[in-house]
Amino acid sequence: MASDSKSATACSDRAPVLSAADAMTARPGHANTSWALIPIVAASGFAGLGYEIVWTRQLAHALGTEMMAVLGAVAGFFCGLAIGAFVLDRPIRRARSPWRAFALLEAVIGLWGVVCIWLLPAAGRALAPLVGGEPAVPVLWAASFALPMLVLLPATMAMGGTLTALERIVGATWKNDRVSSGVYGANTAGAVAGTLASAFLLLPELGLSGSQAVLAAVNGCCAFAVLALDRDAVPREMAVQAAAPVPARLVVTLFVTGMLGIAFEMLVVRLAAQVMQGTIYTFAGLLAAYLFGTALGGLAWQRAGRSTSDVSLGWLLAGTSLACLGTAALAPAIARIAEAAADRGIGGEIAVAVALFLIPSMLMGAVFGLLAQRVRDNRGTLGLAVGINAVGACIAPLVSVQILIPWFGAWLAIVLVALGYVLLLPLRQAALLWAAAPALAATTLLVRPTPSMIKVPAGGSLLAMREGPMATASVVNDASGARYLEVNGRFRMGGTSSMRSDYRQAMLPLLLHPSPRQALFLGLGTGATLIGGTKMPGIAVRGVELSQEVVDLLPWFVNPDDLRRTRITVADARRYVAADTSLYDAVIADLFHPALDGSGALYTTEHFDAVRRRLAPGGIFCQWLPLYQLDAPSLRAIIRSFLAVYPGGSAWLNHYSVFTPMLALIGPRDGAPLDLAALNIRLDDPAIAAVVRPLGFESSIDLLGQYLAGPHALSAYAGDGPQNTDDYPFVTFDAEHNVRALTAPPWSLLLETMRTVRPNAAELIGATGSEYLAMRLSSYWAARNRFLEAGAALPGEPRGRALIDAAAPSLIDTVRLSPEFEPAYRPLLSMARTLTVSDRPAARRLLEAIIAAAPDRNEARQMLGELGAP
């Protein structure tokens, strides 16, 4: 090892000289050429990261959003870069003109980028049936790795060679062969711009295909600009610098730093997911912050003297380790920082990302700049350094997911990654000095309890937690003892207090089908909706859930014996539906948080169509929507997409709570109208009645009263505008507005929709249906709307007599509109019963008002008789 260090140090002490090969490409009299290269270097990085953002989204449609699929795609991308760096290094070094070599590489990237507009979706459609709905983990990983590596290989290989060509061009133009770090830094700075521009500008404006076309145009501009700058070059055979062997320790350090850097990025993103919003813009902000620090570090090291000695490397590695530990130490405060920045929207999230990533990534950029320059000094090229580093980055996803997070958890894994940099310190006496501060900091962190990012309700406690590669699922309870399932500490997936509502999510669509036998549930939450399906006689139930951690916690909410009567698959719902070959009478999709990155893909036209292909003749699809987590433009885009596949679709409410309003889009496969006779037969079936009557479905009016709109009313409400498609996922891009919807009153969108949409009984029961039933329904719907308006207008959270005084007048008005509206009539009776104990005259007045509002009902009259004379 001593000889290796001596060789590297000797190389670093040479005076900067212009190599013979690069001297051939220098052109006196073109002073402006040097500065003209800067935007070209940056633009190349801009396009490269822009493609990664777009391709990752396209691959998620094909491979799913399981962590193994996502990380397989990342690994495949880096593998292509590594292959390109290794294979193209020598041809680029021997090229007569690196300018033309670079132009050719950019042209290949751009052309293949255009090809991938059609190729990636086609490859994904072909892959899904081959992988199947329930592939083994190695099969899923292999497919997720192979698809991006093979399909993107021409482009990623060319990307792997661009830095080598750029380094030769810049070195010759600036007459300095010590520019590796500067080229890397400028290219990465362009990548920062590409990340932000793609996520915040190109994708929302142009969609995936349009963005790829723009990025291909950027590649074309780079190619033409370089050829224009090279127009005066005289083609000739280039001399190639003799390639000295690269010291083994340098190879190991490049490889391991590549692995540690990407592992650190992934672990911090995983940790941040527990406190940040988790939108497409969150990920873009985190990635941009990481790349910004890397670029800044590379450029700073380039300008600060560019020493490649072991002393410089030792201090940089120790500093990187200490900075990573600083991020781990910051973990307990991340939630407070994110909460303080929440009012600033995505700007606040980027500020949090910078706080997490800036200093560690700056030092990582400087470390790579130093190591890359050492390789350049040995071999006269940057390609080998890029290749070795990319191989390390290629295996980082697998190491993170299969070892670090499952064995240690994300936070402790960050500490271990930080200590990994200490192990790379040069073997010199000063190593103990360099290692002292990181070792002391790590010891201080490890003796303290592992910080938890989970928020526990006041007076409650943490009951259980499962931390996995994709999510941290937890069970918490509040002061009243109610249990809740939370994912990543932010997204509440239901709880014991919402079991009745969860059961109704299963019952409503299953009752609308005349005779369901097979039902598929997409997304499980607490499992209550799935188990609700098992309560219906004669139905076989299957569930699909993305997170194994959520599945592990289901026994906290549902009976394990009930779970054993179901079949649960841990898989991405989109990929499962696309690969499955079974047919179902009902497919019921649970509430998916629309702002969460990846959820928007479950509301696209293509996914709705894939579900339709899984429906048996006469089958129906039910998509539940959380109105309290949506804004109106996203809701309208989803409805437009739904009606494009299910033109006979309708909208239904689940319950009449204004705090968690839900809307079901029900789509019949064949467009068949509701069979009222079959519905009444099912409701009268004793076995079914025993299940559904305790949930409020005592007669057909109770179920039909949930109806909000038919296809014509929905189409009028949705209006003209974009659909939510794979190529233009409007809901994903509208994430920032959907996040803001969480801070608005939860009933806002419900009331807006209800006031705009007017249900038509003829759309529900047909033009030849009973006029009397149509009249009853119209009255019921008017009462329902009045009830919801009153609930939203109720001031504060009154209790006891205050609640009676505030709510009773509106409930009387509601019953006057429809005496059949049980959600108002029964609470009024309960209020009267309460008043008989504390204020009998008030109870009498209330009962008399109820009788006047609903004279044909006897319950209030009977209670008044029991109350006796005044």
Side-chain angles (χ1 to χ4, degrees):
M1 286 301 171
S3 62
D4 291 344
S5 300
K6 181 177 179 181
S7 172
T9 304
C11 290
S12 69
D13 292 336
R14 295 182 307 193
V17 294
L18 184 66
S19 70
D22 291 333
M24 295 288 185
T25 66
R27 297 182 305 286
H30 288 268
N32 292 332
T33 299
S34 300
W35 298 106
L37 284 173
I38 295 176
I40 295 175
V41 175
S44 179
F46 178 100
L49 259 292
Y51 281 125
E52 183 177 353
I53 294 289
V54 175
W55 288 339
T56 299
R57 308 209 70 77
Q58 283 189 307
L59 289 166
H61 293 155
L63 302 171
T65 54
E66 296 114 317
M67 185 56 72
M68 294 305 293
V70 172
L71 299 185
V74 172
F77 187 88
F78 276 113
C79 183
L81 294 179
I83 293 172
F86 288 131
V87 172
L88 299 177
D89 179 61
R90 182 173 178 82
I92 292 172
R93 286 193 294 122
R94 297 179 62 89
R96 300 174 64 189
S97 170
W99 304 75
R100 295 173 190 174
F102 175 77
L104 178 61
L105 293 174
E106 288 292 317
V108 169
I109 297 170
L111 289 172
W112 202 252
V114 172
V115 170
C116 283
I117 294 174
W118 296 277
L119 182 59
L120 266 179
R125 288 191 295 271
L127 180 69
L130 296 176
V131 173
E134 303 177 61
V137 170
V139 173
L140 180 59
W141 171 266
S144 303
F145 177 82
L147 178 68
M149 188 192 71
L150 296 176
V151 173
L152 302 178
L153 190 59
T156 53
M157 277 189 65
M159 290 178 187
T162 52
L163 276 180
T164 302
L166 282 172
E167 191 265 347
R168 271 196 66 192
I169 293 169
V170 174
T173 305
W174 287 70
K175 300 189 176 183
N176 186 345
D177 62 354
R178 311 296 302 283
V179 295
S180 299
S181 183
V183 172
Y184 170 71
N187 190 258
T188 307
V192 174
T195 300
L196 295 176
S198 295
F200 290 92
L201 181 61
L202 295 180
L203 285 170
E205 292 297 324
L206 304 173
L208 273 65
S209 297
S211 298
Q212 288 184 85
V214 169
L215 296 171
V218 172
N219 294 128
C221 290
C222 289
F224 283 117
V226 163
L227 290 175
L229 293 175
D230 188 43
R231 62 185 182 275
D232 297 329
V234 178
R236 65 183 69 184
E237 191 70 27
M238 308 300 293
V240 179
Q241 177 178 323
V246 178
R249 187 170 182 83
L250 178 55
V251 173
V252 171
T253 304
L254 269 169
F255 171 82
V256 176
T257 53
M259 181 179 66
L260 294 177
I262 297 301
F264 176 78
E265 178 199 2
M266 296 176 63
L267 292 170
V268 173
V269 168
R270 175 68 184 78
L271 203 64
Q274 299 181 54
V275 296
M276 299 176 78
Q277 296 296 345
T279 69
I280 179 179
Y281 306 114
T282 301
F283 174 73
L286 288 165
L287 180 58
Y290 176 80
L291 293 172
F292 175 71
T294 305
L296 201 60
L299 292 170
W301 182 83
Q302 180 74 23
R303 291 185 60 85
R306 308 181 299 279
S307 171
T308 60
S309 66
D310 277 354
V311 173
S312 296
L313 178 60
W315 284 114
L316 284 175
L317 288 171
T320 303
S321 176
L322 197 60
C324 293
L325 292 169
T327 296
L330 189 63
I334 294 176
R336 294 193 298 274
I337 296 172
E339 188 174 341
D343 293 339
R344 300 182 182 180
I346 191 60
E349 291 213 317
I350 291 178
V352 175
V354 170
L356 293 171
F357 274 128
L358 182 61
I359 296 177
S361 59
M362 280 183 63
L363 290 164
M364 291 175 189
V367 167
F368 178 76
L370 185 153
L371 297 173
Q373 190 61 55
R374 280 192 173 186
V375 174
R376 172 68 171 81
D377 291 340
N378 274 272
R379 296 180 61 87
T381 182
L382 189 61
L384 186 62
V386 173
I388 296 171
N389 197 255
V391 172
C394 179
I395 70 168
L398 189 60
V399 171
S400 299
V401 169
Q402 296 286 42
I403 299 176
L404 293 178
I405 295 177
W407 291 7
F408 306 105
W411 182 83
L412 183 56
I414 291 175
V415 176
L416 297 178
V417 165
L419 293 176
Y421 284 98
V422 175
L423 298 178
L424 296 174
L425 290 170
L427 301 180
R428 298 172 58 119
Q429 290 182 344
L432 293 177
L433 174 63
W434 296 328
L440 179 61
T443 302
T444 303
L445 290 175
L446 292 174
V447 297
R448 298 163 57 188
T450 300
S452 174
M453 316 293 289
I454 299 170
K455 286 185 178 181
V456 177
S461 59
L462 174 64
L463 302 177
M465 183 185 75
R466 297 290 185 275
E467 184 174 13
M470 287 204 64
T472 297
S474 59
V475 179
V476 298
N477 65 0
D478 60 17
S480 69
R483 293 193 299 274
Y484 301 97
L485 174 66
E486 295 186 346
V487 173
N488 285 337
R490 295 187 59 83
F491 305 107
R492 183 162 288 181
M493 313 303 288
T496 53
S497 61
S498 64
M499 287 295 180
R500 186 174 187 271
S501 171
D502 295 340
Y503 280 144
R504 286 172 64 97
Q505 285 182 245
M507 299 306 168
L508 188 146
L510 291 177
L511 285 171
L512 291 176
H513 190 285
S515 56
R517 291 292 177 265
Q518 299 285 336
L520 174 66
F521 290 78
L522 303 178
L524 300 187
T526 62
T529 302
L530 176 75
I531 297 305
T534 68
K535 303 296 184 184
M536 293 288 279
I539 297 182
V541 168
R542 178 179 295 185
V544 178
E545 169 56 45
L546 179 64
S547 172
Q548 179 64 54
E549 294 72 39
V550 168
V551 173
D552 291 343
L553 296 178
L554 291 182
W556 283 90
F557 301 94
V558 294
N559 191 322
D561 292 335
D562 290 336
L563 285 175
R564 282 190 280 271
R565 302 208 316 266
T566 70
R567 178 179 175 183
I568 296 176
T569 300
V570 177
D572 176 80
R574 269 190 64 119
R575 185 182 55 75
Y576 184 89
V577 168
D580 193 16
T581 57
S582 302
L583 295 179
Y584 304 93
D585 299 304
V587 176
I588 302 171
D590 206 346
L591 304 166
F592 305 121
H593 193 309
L596 188 63
D597 194 18
S599 293
L602 295 170
Y603 297 126
T604 64
T605 306
E606 290 83 358
H607 176 58
F608 292 157
D609 186 61
V611 171
R612 187 178 182 276
R613 292 194 295 271
R614 299 277 64 77
L615 293 175
I620 62 171
F621 172 46
C622 171
Q623 174 65 68
W624 286 102
L625 301 175
L627 294 183
Y628 52 96
Q629 296 174 338
L630 277 167
D631 71 342
S634 282
L635 176 60
R636 288 187 168 94
I638 293 171
I639 291 173
R640 285 190 289 266
S641 302
F642 192 84
L643 292 177
V645 179
Y646 303 96
S650 54
W652 302 68
L653 297 176
N654 180 33
H655 51 58
Y656 303 127
S657 167
V658 295
F659 294 101
T660 55
M662 305 174 193
L663 187 71
L665 296 179
I666 305 287
R669 174 187 180 271
D670 305 318
L674 175 66
D675 188 337
L676 284 176
L679 174 61
N680 288 320
I681 291 173
R682 285 174 60 73
L683 289 172
D684 291 337
D685 184 319
I688 294 177
V691 174
V692 302
R693 285 181 180 175
L695 300 175
F697 296 121
E698 296 185 10
S699 66
S700 60
I701 194 73
D702 297 317
L703 188 145
L704 300 179
Q706 313 284 133
Y707 180 82
L708 185 66
H712 293 96
L714 278 179
S715 180
Y717 171 76
D720 296 327
Q723 294 180 19
N724 188 55
T725 66
D726 284 354
D727 189 63
Y728 188 78
F730 178 89
V731 175
T732 297
F733 303 145
D734 195 40
E736 191 67 14
H737 296 102
N738 288 325
V739 167
R740 290 194 200 123
L742 296 172
T743 61
W747 52 79
S748 299
L749 185 56
L750 169 65
L751 296 188
E752 177 192 328
T753 306
M754 187 181 70
R755 292 164 183 165
T756 306
V757 175
R758 289 289 179 262
N760 183 348
E763 283 198 274
L764 177 60
I765 62 177
T768 59
S770 165
E771 292 185 10
Y772 175 64
L773 177 58
M775 182 182 67
R776 289 174 60 202
L777 286 172
S778 296
S779 298
Y780 195 99
W781 294 333
R784 175 196 67 196
N785 293 354
R786 179 70 183 94
F787 180 84
L788 292 171
E789 294 274 7
L794 200 64
E797 297 182 4
R799 294 287 187 271
R801 182 60 183 268
L803 175 61
I804 295 174
D805 293 341
S810 297
L811 295 179
I812 291 292
D813 291 341
T814 301
V815 171
R816 189 175 292 113
L817 291 170
S818 174
E820 294 183 276
F821 192 73
E822 294 293 336
Y825 193 87
R826 291 190 181 280
L828 283 170
L829 294 180
S830 178
M831 291 176 181
R833 191 173 294 109
T834 300
L835 288 173
T836 58
V837 177
S838 60
D839 190 343
R840 292 175 69 85
R844 179 176 297 277
R845 290 193 298 272
L846 180 56
L847 287 170
E848 290 172 347
I850 298 172
I851 294 170
D856 293 336
R857 296 194 62 160
N858 294 321
E859 295 95 323
R861 186 173 288 105
Q862 181 179 352
M863 187 180 294
L864 183 61
E866 294 171 356
L867 190 60

